């Protein structure tokens, strides 16, 4: 987070234009004409640059007389613990992707409910935990297929699939190719 403490106004403005979610909690912006402040990711209409004022935190914006946006609720969300949960969840998924997914166990480790975990994860990464794990598995399978000397069945099991048909389906859904097509091309596809 430290390298982020000094973000130029220009960079902040780009984040506002792009509704960049990864800047949420790092700064807020108020719109002078409406008296409302938002998080960078707010999907409301992009204001005119000249009307925008940046704040480091929600408290400053409120102290300056701005009201929190009803759409992105910049005052309601406590970001840091959430980001921490996401980061820990990702770490767990990366080390356990080839085991059976047990979100109940993961959410208990993180001290949140399953539903909350899924909601947070989707909010911050655009993936559900299951989609995220599936992506890790397919990426890993691609690496192994490129090596060429491991059978597709072995790769399916090594990356956590219980059946070849499920492996084929997930692989094709994500890459557009079957594992055998990909293997034959040695990753050139
Ligand atoms: Zn907003």
């Amino acid at each position: 987070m430290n390298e982020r403490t000094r973000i130029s106004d220009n960079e902040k403005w780009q984040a506002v234009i792009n509704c960049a979610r990864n800047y949420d909690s790092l700064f807020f912006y108020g719109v002078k004409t409406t008296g409302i402040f938002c998080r960078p990711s707010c999907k409301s209409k992009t204001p005119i640059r000249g009307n925008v004022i940046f704040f480091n935190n929600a408290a400053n914006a409120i102290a300056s007389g701005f009201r929190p946006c009803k759409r992105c609720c910049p005052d309601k969300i406590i970001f840091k613990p959430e980001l921490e949960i996401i980061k820990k969840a990702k770490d767990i998924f990366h080390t356990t992707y080839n085991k059976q997914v047990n979100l109940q166990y993961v959410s208990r480790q993180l001290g949140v409910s399953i539903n909350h975990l899924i909601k947070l994860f989707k909010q911050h990464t655009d993936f559900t935990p299951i989609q995220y794990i599936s992506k890790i598995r397919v990426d890993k399978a691609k690496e192994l297929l490129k090596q060429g000397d491991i059978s597709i069945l072995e790769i399916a099991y090594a990356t956590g699939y219980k059946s070849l048909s499920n492996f084929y389906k997930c692989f094709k859904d994500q890459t557009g190719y079957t594992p055998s097509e990909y293997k034959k091309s040695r990753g050139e596809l």
Side-chain angles (χ1 to χ4, degrees):
M1 207 64 108
N2 281 339
E3 75 273 17
R4 282 282 183 217
T5 45
R6 290 196 142 270
I7 309 169
S8 71
D9 280 2
N10 193 37
E11 189 181 348
K12 287 177 187 168
W13 177 237
Q14 291 306 316
V16 170
I17 293 172
N18 297 319
C19 302
R21 203 177 275 185
N22 52 333
Y23 283 82
D24 278 359
S25 87
L26 301 179
F27 77 91
F28 298 86
Y29 71 94
V31 182
K32 289 179 206 162
T33 43
T34 60
I36 286 170
F37 76 99
C38 288
R39 0 180 205 146
S41 70
C42 185
K43 294 273 193 275
S44 59
K45 193 166 164 283
T46 305
I48 294 167
R49 176 69 183 93
N51 292 332
V52 167
I53 175 167
F54 297 115
F55 299 100
N56 288 330
N57 56 55
N60 284 355
I62 291 167
S64 303
F66 286 84
R67 282 172 294 119
C69 166
K70 289 210 165 64
R71 191 159 177 188
C72 67
C73 302
D75 57 329
K76 293 257 160 53
I77 296 166
I78 305 158
F79 290 99
K80 279 188 186 165
E82 292 192 351
L83 292 178
E84 197 56 32
I85 290 170
I86 302 301
K87 197 185 160 296
K88 280 186 190 157
K90 281 184 177 176
D91 285 347
I92 294 172
F93 296 151
H94 277 276
T95 50
T96 60
Y97 70 91
N98 57 355
K99 308 218 164 58
Q100 185 157 12
V101 182
N102 187 342
L103 287 184
Q104 179 87 49
Y105 179 72
V106 174
S107 60
R108 217 175 317 152
Q109 272 186 309
L110 299 171
V112 294
S113 71
I114 287 193
N115 287 342
H116 192 56
L117 175 64
I118 294 171
K119 189 172 148 257
L120 278 186
F121 208 84
K122 179 103 180 115
Q123 215 170 51
H124 288 276
T125 68
D126 280 339
F127 295 104
T128 64
I130 299 295
Q131 287 168 335
Y132 189 82
I133 293 165
S134 181
K135 204 173 144 341
I136 301 173
R137 286 178 171 178
V138 168
D139 284 348
K140 189 73 194 164
K142 279 161 85 176
E143 259 173 55
L144 295 172
L145 286 165
K146 266 188 237 176
Q147 294 175 12
D149 50 357
I150 313 167
S151 80
I152 289 175
L153 186 63
E154 276 177 288
I155 291 170
Y157 288 137
T159 50
Y161 292 97
K162 292 271 173 286
S163 76
L164 208 49
S165 58
N166 195 19
F167 175 52
Y168 264 77
K169 188 183 175 304
C170 290
F171 196 90
K172 182 134 199 197
D173 280 353
Q174 280 186 50
T175 66
Y177 304 103
T178 65
S180 15
E181 284 168 341
Y182 195 84
K183 187 177 162 84
K184 236 174 269 167
S185 80
R186 298 258 162 167
E188 293 302 313
L189 285 171

